[in-house]
Amino acid sequence: MDAQAEKIYVAIGNDPQDGFKTLEWTLGKWNSRPISIVILHVTYNISADFVYTPFGKLPASVVSEEKLEVLRKYEQEKIDKLLSKYITFCGKVKAEILKVEKHDEPVQKLIVDLISRLQINKLVMGFTFMKSSSWKSKGTISGSFYIHQHKPQFCEFYIICGGKQVFLRDKKEERIMEDDQGVRVAQRRENKASLKKWVGKMFSDQTNTLERNSCHSSSNSSVNSDSPKSQNQWEIHVQEIESYLQQLLSSDLDVDDLPQQNDSFQIITSRAAESENNDSHMSLAEKIESLRSKINEAQQEIELKRKEAKENVERHAKAGWVISLCIQRAEELETSIKEEVKNRSELEKELNAEKEQMNEIIMDIEESKSRLSSLLELQTELSEKLQISTIAKSQAEVQLEKAVLTRAEMVRDIEELRRQRDVFNRRIEFCREKDAIGMLSKLNEVSCGYREYSAEEIRLATDNFSESKRLKSGGDWTNVYRGRMKHGAVAIKVLSSIRQLSQEAFQAKVDELGQIRHPHLVAMVGLCSDLKCIVFEYMHNGSLRDVLSSSDRSSRKRNRALHWLDRVRIATHVCSGLGFLHMAKPVPMVHGCLALSNILLDRNHVAKISGYGLSQAHDECGLRLDIGAFGSVMLHLLTGRKWAGLVEEAMTRDRAALAEVLDETAGDWPLDLAEEFAGLAIRCLSINSEPNADLSITRVMEELNKIKNKAEDAMKRGGSDAFINGDVDEADSCDVPKVFICPIFQDIMKNPHVAADGFSYELEAIEEWVETGHDTSPRTNLRLKHTKVIPNHTLRSLIQDWQSKRSTAASIAH
């Protein structure tokens, strides 16, 4: 509402009664629309010579500096309290104070300048506002008329007296203020010989003449060269003359304001009569003292008159100087007018010459008309030729129809080719979109920004927290749902109501998680404050616990067995993420719950830690617990099951015993690497029972990187079998073309079908998607035009061919 409120400027003085009535009228005038009030208050420079006291105006010299300061503060506080009452009076209407400091210029000129500078559209002025700057009612009336006459056209000016609007009337020699009933509020009689009118007329005439002369300055160079001295003199003094005339216009030097001779005579006569009456009752000494005081008063009056006479002489001299310059300038302008008449006659001659040229142009137009008639005849001939061409065109159309029939047969063949092309184009578009999503996820890993989702977006992404979307991977992931946003799949974790986090605590936790970015930490991509849930990036291969413990190889989303090299890399990833937390500044972060269920894998078996930021511990003990938990993870990767002392016992025997406890689904471990890997894991586990000051997460990372480098060198030399028990699992390779993977199951498709959105899905997956009530695309979230699907035989043959080549490569490797 404040942005649409209209500003009303109200100028009020120090009279509270008039001020409140003026504000009351303003609020009643615009009570039907939103407004804001700006109270204009003119502040005057506190004089260094005089001070206002409860006893009247006194010289500042008779008051001490301390009392002088107290009196001035008292005066300022009184004004501030009055302005505060004005603000309170406005009630619910927004009001503000605009203080304008007055210096030497008249207040009416100050108000006019303020209207232009602030672009004031509506100005309401109380009658006593002008009285605060002048004790004369004539000054109030003349000031009001000055504002009314000199304000810009866009400003609406209202004068309020006693809570009623008054109107200005200028009748012959009188200036009148009347209310809406025609009752005269105030008046001022204008003298016929008003100095102000004469000066204003002279100034406006001179200004108009100057403007006319400046328009022809370039053409009147001869006139200017005839009187350069006078012209330069006028230009030098024109600003000074203008200021002088403006001063006369804004002053109150009317004849009515000057003391009249009759008034002085009456004052002297009354004093003489009073003196005679008093002398008859006074003694001789009292009469002498009375005469002395009268002589002193007369001497002071004479001195005052001398000063006034001196000032009048100076004014008279300056006025004579201005008049002489104006007369001289008038003569120059008269010469310019004569030159203008001469130029006008020359322009008339040029106009006659232009008329002659116009006649010649008219003759040329007539010749063009004759040529146009010839062109019309030529057009007729061309029309006849066009008819002949039309007949030839009809014959050509017959031949074209035959060609169209031939083309139709070709089009049918082309359409079949286009259909096949469209299938591949959709595949290409799918691959581009997947690459774009991958690039976006990489950018999100670098950026520390996150987005706040609305509750509606969260519910739409999770099908209103459907049980089919719940991720049941152990740990605290029972309250995590899989969702789909525009940029791809996400994991949405709803905080348990048991914790009962306040909004401030939730926001603090979100801010802490949002600042953590590392390639091996599950990144937070957003939040929802209303539902108190956090949005993380989605890890398609689930938790490490599921991968190691699941044996259901016939399930639709079967867990893939991890090769031993992948397990070494996963251990390196987890150690890197844990090291980032432990080396955080200013205090290290402790995970506190590092387990297989909190280690998630993406499509390429890149491991990332989840569940961080929940522990409140930051001490050395917490760091050791994390290292011990990491040792347990390493042994799980080595054995594929609960190790429970198996490794320690095997390590005390020989390599053959160690080979028996290794996970057979991981392939043939190089025994030296397995022994080194197990030794590091046991050292991490023993940190809690036998503290080792030299074993930090940084030291563990260095030793683990050495093991990983040795493992990669062994793979390059072909020193170990790269496959699991000699069988090729096509899903284990990171080189699977993305177009072969079902967007829903995230697995290689066996029976791909094309849906209405143009993307291919596993038939079982898209049918289950539709049966559960979805009518939008799993890829684009846009509404599907229909639910029919078409077999994609081309893609199916490509998948089968790729699988055949992989099987052949596996057999050759063995």
Side-chain angles (χ1 to χ4, degrees):
M1 290 297 291
D2 292 341
Q4 301 176 356
E6 183 179 9
K7 281 191 175 183
I8 309 297
Y9 288 78
V10 183
I12 50 181
N14 296 332
D15 185 357
Q17 184 177 3
D18 183 72
F20 289 134
K21 289 185 177 180
T22 303
L23 286 173
E24 182 181 5
W25 183 91
T26 304
L27 295 173
K29 172 73 174 177
W30 286 281
N31 62 350
S32 60
R33 51 181 169 174
I35 62 169
S36 63
I37 301 295
V38 180
I39 299 175
L40 287 178
H41 186 269
V42 177
T43 60
Y44 300 90
N45 289 333
I46 299 176
S47 174
D49 299 326
F50 296 97
V51 65
Y52 293 90
T53 70
F55 305 101
K57 182 178 178 182
L58 297 177
S61 59
V62 301
V63 183
S64 64
E65 288 294 332
E66 295 180 358
K67 293 182 179 180
L68 185 65
E69 187 64 26
V70 170
L71 290 173
R72 287 175 178 170
K73 286 184 178 180
Y74 170 78
E75 189 68 22
Q76 186 63 40
E77 289 176 358
K78 186 172 70 173
I79 294 174
D80 291 341
K81 288 181 181 179
L82 179 61
L83 295 178
S84 177
K85 290 180 180 179
Y86 288 157
I87 294 291
T88 306
F89 185 81
C90 294
K92 296 182 179 179
V93 177
K94 180 181 178 182
E96 56 183 304
I97 302 296
L98 177 59
K99 294 184 179 181
V100 182
E101 187 172 352
K102 179 184 181 298
H103 295 281
D104 296 333
E105 60 179 338
V107 68
Q108 57 267 29
K109 187 175 185 302
L110 180 66
I111 294 300
V112 172
D113 293 342
L114 198 64
I115 292 173
S116 301
R117 179 158 52 87
L118 299 181
Q119 295 292 306
I120 298 175
N121 294 323
K122 290 181 173 57
L123 175 62
V124 180
M125 188 179 76
F127 185 74
T128 61
F129 175 74
M130 297 298 296
K131 278 189 176 182
S132 62
S133 62
S134 176
W135 58 271
K136 300 178 294 183
S137 62
K138 292 182 180 180
T140 302
I141 299 173
S142 62
S144 301
F145 268 90
Y146 181 87
I147 296 173
H148 177 71
Q149 293 172 353
H150 292 81
K151 69 177 179 63
Q153 293 293 330
F154 59 80
C155 179
E156 300 179 12
F157 183 46
Y158 304 90
I159 302 175
I160 308 302
C161 180
K164 295 182 179 180
Q165 183 180 359
V166 296
F167 303 91
L168 303 176
R169 300 284 187 268
D170 197 352
K171 295 183 178 180
K172 294 182 180 179
E173 300 176 3
E174 289 183 330
R175 288 181 172 180
I176 302 172
M177 282 187 178
E178 296 178 346
D179 60 9
D180 53 356
Q181 303 296 328
V183 178
R184 188 170 297 183
V185 177
Q187 67 177 5
R188 179 179 181 182
R189 182 177 297 276
E190 294 291 333
N191 193 291
K192 293 181 179 180
S194 174
L195 175 62
K196 189 178 293 185
K197 282 189 175 181
W198 179 83
V199 171
K201 184 175 184 303
M202 180 185 71
F203 179 67
S204 60
D205 293 342
Q206 293 296 336
T207 303
N208 294 334
T209 306
L210 282 173
E211 292 177 354
R212 290 195 300 271
N213 187 52
S214 62
C215 296
H216 303 286
S217 60
S218 59
S219 62
N220 295 341
S221 58
S222 60
V223 177
N224 293 337
S225 61
D226 294 339
S227 56
K229 182 177 180 180
S230 59
Q231 178 70 13
N232 292 336
Q233 185 178 5
W234 174 261
E235 292 178 353
I236 291 171
H237 297 290
V238 66
Q239 187 64 34
E240 184 178 356
I241 295 172
E242 181 179 351
S243 300
Y244 174 68
L245 295 179
Q246 287 288 358
Q247 183 180 0
L248 291 178
L249 283 172
S250 61
S251 63
D252 292 332
L253 296 178
D254 293 335
V255 176
D256 290 343
D257 295 337
L258 300 176
Q260 301 296 327
Q261 183 176 3
N262 293 336
D263 295 340
S264 301
F265 177 76
Q266 290 175 1
I267 293 171
I268 295 170
T269 304
S270 62
R271 287 182 179 177
E274 183 181 355
S275 176
E276 290 176 0
N277 293 332
N278 292 334
D279 289 347
S280 59
H281 303 286
M282 297 171 61
S283 64
L284 181 61
E286 292 175 345
K287 289 180 180 180
I288 293 173
E289 186 63 29
S290 175
L291 289 175
R292 286 180 180 174
S293 62
K294 290 177 182 178
I295 291 171
N296 291 332
E297 291 177 1
Q299 288 176 350
Q300 292 177 0
E301 186 73 20
I302 291 170
E303 186 64 26
L304 181 61
K305 294 299 182 180
R306 283 179 180 175
K307 290 182 180 179
E308 291 179 355
K310 184 177 179 180
E311 291 175 356
N312 289 334
V313 170
E314 292 176 356
R315 291 195 191 99
H316 184 271
K318 191 167 185 178
W321 170 74
V322 171
I323 291 171
S324 64
L325 284 179
C326 292
I327 292 173
Q328 185 178 359
R329 184 60 179 165
E331 293 174 355
E332 294 173 2
L333 294 176
E334 185 177 357
T335 304
S336 299
I337 292 172
K338 292 180 181 178
E339 184 66 22
E340 182 69 23
V341 172
K342 181 180 178 181
N343 292 337
R344 184 173 295 179
S345 63
E346 293 177 357
L347 290 174
E348 289 179 355
K349 292 179 181 179
E350 293 178 0
L351 180 61
N352 292 332
E354 292 290 338
K355 288 182 179 179
E356 293 178 358
Q357 292 181 2
M358 185 65 71
N359 292 331
E360 294 178 358
I361 293 172
I362 292 173
M363 294 176 64
D364 293 340
I365 292 173
E366 292 296 331
E367 293 179 1
S368 299
K369 286 182 178 179
S370 62
R371 293 176 183 176
L372 182 60
S373 60
S374 302
L375 291 174
L376 290 174
E377 294 176 359
L378 180 61
Q379 183 182 7
T380 303
E381 295 178 2
L382 293 175
S383 298
E384 294 176 355
K385 294 180 180 180
L386 181 61
Q387 291 178 357
I388 297 172
S389 300
T390 304
I391 296 173
K393 178 184 176 183
S394 61
Q395 295 175 354
E397 287 178 350
V398 174
Q399 296 178 356
L400 182 62
E401 289 179 358
K402 295 180 181 179
V404 167
L405 294 176
T406 305
R407 179 180 177 276
E409 296 177 357
M410 298 175 65
V411 166
R412 284 193 292 270
D413 297 335
I414 292 172
E415 285 297 325
E416 178 62 24
L417 296 175
R418 284 181 176 175
R419 188 185 65 79
Q420 297 179 7
R421 182 199 64 186
D422 292 339
V423 171
F424 286 103
N425 283 341
R426 286 195 293 271
R427 303 284 70 74
I428 293 171
E429 186 65 23
F430 173 78
C431 293
R432 288 177 180 174
E433 185 175 356
K434 295 284 285 186
D435 292 338
I437 293 173
M439 181 62 69
L440 180 61
S441 65
K442 292 180 181 179
L443 293 176
N444 285 338
E445 289 177 0
V446 178
S447 173
C448 291
Y450 55 88
R451 175 186 170 188
E452 182 164 359
Y453 295 93
S454 64
E456 182 179 359
E457 289 177 308
I458 297 297
R459 290 192 176 95
L460 182 63
T462 60
D463 292 341
N464 200 14
F465 299 102
S466 173
E467 281 296 318
S468 62
K469 296 289 185 179
R470 186 189 293 270
L471 297 176
K472 299 180 179 179
S473 300
D476 62 341
W477 284 78
T478 54
N479 292 328
V480 180
Y481 297 83
R482 179 186 176 187
R484 178 166 293 279
M485 299 296 183
K486 292 182 179 179
H487 55 78
V490 294
I492 301 172
K493 183 174 183 179
V494 182
L495 296 185
S496 174
S497 59
I498 300 176
R499 297 183 180 178
Q500 295 182 348
L501 285 179
S502 63
Q503 188 64 32
E504 292 78 11
F506 174 76
Q507 189 63 41
K509 180 62 65 179
V510 166
D511 292 341
E512 181 183 5
L513 293 177
Q515 295 175 1
I516 300 175
R517 286 292 186 272
H518 189 269
H520 300 299
L521 296 177
V522 178
M524 188 192 81
V525 298
L527 75 151
C528 177
S529 300
D530 297 336
L531 301 177
K532 285 190 178 179
C533 57
I534 305 175
V535 183
F536 294 93
E537 62 177 322
Y538 181 73
M539 306 297 286
H540 293 82
N541 275 334
S543 69
L544 183 59
R545 174 185 174 183
D546 295 335
V547 175
L548 294 178
S549 62
S550 176
S551 60
D552 185 8
R553 295 287 174 171
S554 62
S555 63
R556 183 176 58 243
K557 293 182 66 178
R558 62 185 180 277
N559 295 286
R560 306 177 181 111
L562 292 173
H563 186 256
W564 64 268
L565 179 58
D566 290 332
R567 300 189 184 206
V568 174
R569 289 172 178 168
I570 288 172
T572 308
H573 297 166
V574 174
C575 188
S576 175
L578 192 62
F580 176 82
L581 294 176
H582 284 194
M583 289 184 288
K585 301 295 182 180
V587 293
M589 292 183 63
V590 176
H591 189 286
C593 190
L594 184 63
L596 298 179
S597 60
N598 284 328
I599 300 173
L600 308 180
L601 304 178
D602 65 6
R603 289 195 185 99
N604 298 322
H605 289 152
V606 175
K608 298 186 179 184
I609 302 174
S610 68
Y612 55 88
L614 301 178
S615 176
Q616 301 298 323
H618 302 286
D619 54 355
E620 186 68 20
C621 181
L623 300 179
R624 290 178 179 176
L625 289 174
D626 279 353
I627 295 176
F630 176 65
S632 176
V633 171
M634 291 179 66
L635 291 179
H636 272 286
L637 288 170
L638 195 65
T639 63
R641 60 188 182 277
K642 293 183 179 179
W643 43 273
L646 295 175
V647 178
E648 293 93 333
E649 181 180 356
M651 289 286 289
T652 60
R653 295 164 61 187
D654 54 5
R655 287 191 173 187
L658 178 62
E660 291 178 0
V661 300
L662 297 179
D663 189 1
E664 60 182 8
T665 64
D668 296 332
W669 278 81
L671 291 181
D672 55 341
L673 287 177
E675 187 175 4
E676 191 173 356
F677 189 87
L680 180 59
I682 293 174
R683 287 172 59 196
C684 291
L685 277 174
S686 63
I687 193 172
N688 293 320
S689 57
E690 299 177 5
N692 187 352
D694 294 333
L695 189 62
S696 64
I697 195 66
T698 305
R699 181 69 177 274
V700 174
M701 187 65 195
E702 291 175 356
E703 296 188 19
L704 197 56
N705 280 330
K706 292 178 182 178
I707 296 174
K708 187 193 75 169
N709 294 335
K710 291 179 182 179
E712 290 176 347
D713 292 338
M715 285 295 296
K716 290 178 182 178
R717 293 193 304 267
S720 179
D721 191 1
F723 304 101
I724 302 173
N725 294 335
D727 295 330
V728 178
D729 189 351
E730 64 273 6
D732 289 338
S733 176
C734 298
D735 298 328
V736 179
K738 295 181 180 179
V739 70
F740 294 170
I741 298 175
C742 174
I744 299 176
F745 285 168
Q746 294 298 320
D747 203 355
I748 298 175
M749 291 182 284
K750 296 180 179 179
N751 190 12
H753 279 63
V754 180
D757 58 355
F759 294 98
S760 291
Y761 304 89
E762 183 69 34
L763 178 61
E764 184 181 358
I766 192 65
E767 287 179 348
E768 181 182 347
W769 177 269
V770 175
E771 288 173 359
T772 54
H774 294 86
D775 59 351
T776 58
S777 168
R779 290 289 301 150
T780 64
N781 268 341
L782 299 177
R783 186 177 297 278
L784 295 172
K785 295 182 180 179
H786 56 80
T787 58
K788 297 179 180 179
V789 293
I790 302 172
N792 192 340
H793 299 295
T794 304
L795 181 59
R796 182 177 182 180
S797 63
L798 290 174
I799 295 173
Q800 291 175 350
D801 184 53
W802 177 82
Q803 290 174 332
S804 176
K805 290 180 180 178
R806 288 299 301 269
S807 298
T808 303
S811 62
I812 293 173
H814 283 282

